[in-house]
Every structure is written in C-alpha cells, then in structure tokens.
Amino acid sequence: MGQILLILVLQLVYVPVLTLRTIMLVKGKTMIAGLFGTLETLIYIFALGIVFQDLTTLGMIVYAVGFGLGILVGGYVERKLAIGYNMIQVHTQEFPAELIQKMRDNGYGVTHYQGQGRDGVRYRLDVLAARTRMKDLRQLVEEYEPKAFLVAFDPIDFKGGYMMKGLRRPK
C-alpha cells in the first residue's frame, strides 16, 4: 500500500514540474526549463521503476490517475504563479475616456485606436499587463465598460514603450 501511495504522490509532483518546465521553455527561460527537466526525468524514472518493479493493475491505474490529478494540480500552480504578461485588447462601442484614465491611474499603459466595425465606429484599447494583474484589469473593464469585448494574447517578446520602465522584462 505504501508503494501505491508513493506512486500517486510522485505523479502529483511530476506533472506540475512537467507543466512548469513547459511554461519556462515557452517563455524562453531555458536554464530554468533545463533544471525542471532534470527533476522531471528523475521523478519519472523513479515512479515508473516502482510501477515496473511490481507490475500490478492497481499500480498502473494509480499511475494514470495520479497523472490526471497532477494535471489539475499543475494547472492550479500555473494559474497561481501567473508567469509573464498578457496583451489585452479591449473593444468598445463608445470612446471609453473614463476607463482609459482609470487604467492609467492604476499603472497600466494604454494605447487606443479608432476603427470601423460592421455597425459603425469602434474603439480598441491595447493594454500590456502582468498576468498577476489580469483579474484586477478585468474587474476595472467590467466596472466602466460592462459590454466591452476583451481578447488576451501572450506576447513572446517586447521592447521599448512607456511600460518598460516599470516592468521587468522576461529573460
């Protein structure tokens, strides 16, 4: 029974480490990704070794269930860490002067554009924000422009601009 619990615990650690390794690689942090990859491989080999040492149906099922639960844990950890930045586009029907000022007062850099939509003039705000501030930004938009359409992108790289003085650029 101890080995079954160990397999489960190892999977609950393994998959979040795998998740973090992938995120670091995508974000261009290859040194950290390499360290996570080493840890990931050690856990993987150790857990698989335990399963193969005493190959039972229960061991294989726990290994698979642990992997699935590990995905849930990894997703939770990733959301809590919220590594990196988002580029958010806020689309409105009316010029959102009050929202723009409130965003700037809250430390967001905002660039606004006017365009032509199917039903007339539309406005777009481009906002770069740390992922840790996404919830606050959404609430701000909801408060001032409840009908706004939001789209968020993960920028791979950026340089220059007003916000660069206040942001730590990802390495």
Side-chain angles (χ1 to χ4, degrees), residues 113-129:
Y113 305 89
Q114 179 178 320
Q116 185 67 38
R118 184 188 72 179
D119 297 325
V121 175
R122 297 293 182 258
Y123 299 92
R124 185 182 90 200
L125 313 179
D126 285 352
V127 184
L128 180 67

Side-chain angles (χ1 to χ4, degrees), residues 87-94 96 99-100 103 110-113 122-127 137-138 140-142 144-153:
M87 173 56 79
I88 302 92
Q89 291 182 346
V90 180
H91 299 261
T92 65
Q93 293 180 357
E94 303 294 326
L99 174 60
I100 292 169
M103 286 178 165
V110 182
T111 302
H112 59 86
Y113 305 89
R122 297 293 182 258
Y123 299 92
R124 185 182 90 200
L125 313 179
D126 285 352
V127 184
L137 180 61
R138 281 179 171 270
L140 193 61
V141 171
E142 182 65 31
Y144 287 89
E145 292 290 332
K147 293 182 181 180
F149 174 67
L150 275 72
V151 180
F153 305 95

Side-chain angles (χ1 to χ4, degrees), residues 2-21:
Q3 282 190 326
I4 295 297
L5 285 175
L6 182 57
I7 291 168
L8 181 64
V9 168
L10 287 171
Q11 286 298 83
L12 289 175
V13 173
Y14 164 72
V15 181
V17 170
L18 181 152
T19 302
L20 290 173
R21 188 242 326 144

Side-chain angles (χ1 to χ4, degrees), residues 36-88:
F36 276 128
T38 302
L39 179 60
E40 171 191 341
T41 303
L42 286 171
I43 296 168
Y44 176 77
I45 291 169
F46 190 68
L48 211 51
I50 293 170
V51 171
F52 284 146
Q53 190 177 32
D54 186 23
L55 196 58
T56 64
T57 303
L58 180 60
M60 291 184 285
I61 290 171
V62 169
Y63 186 88
V65 168
F67 190 91
L69 291 174
I71 289 173
L72 297 175
V73 171
Y76 176 80
V77 168
E78 191 281 330
R79 282 189 304 278
K80 287 298 176 190
L81 290 175
I83 299 165
Y85 301 93
N86 281 135
M87 173 56 79
I88 302 92

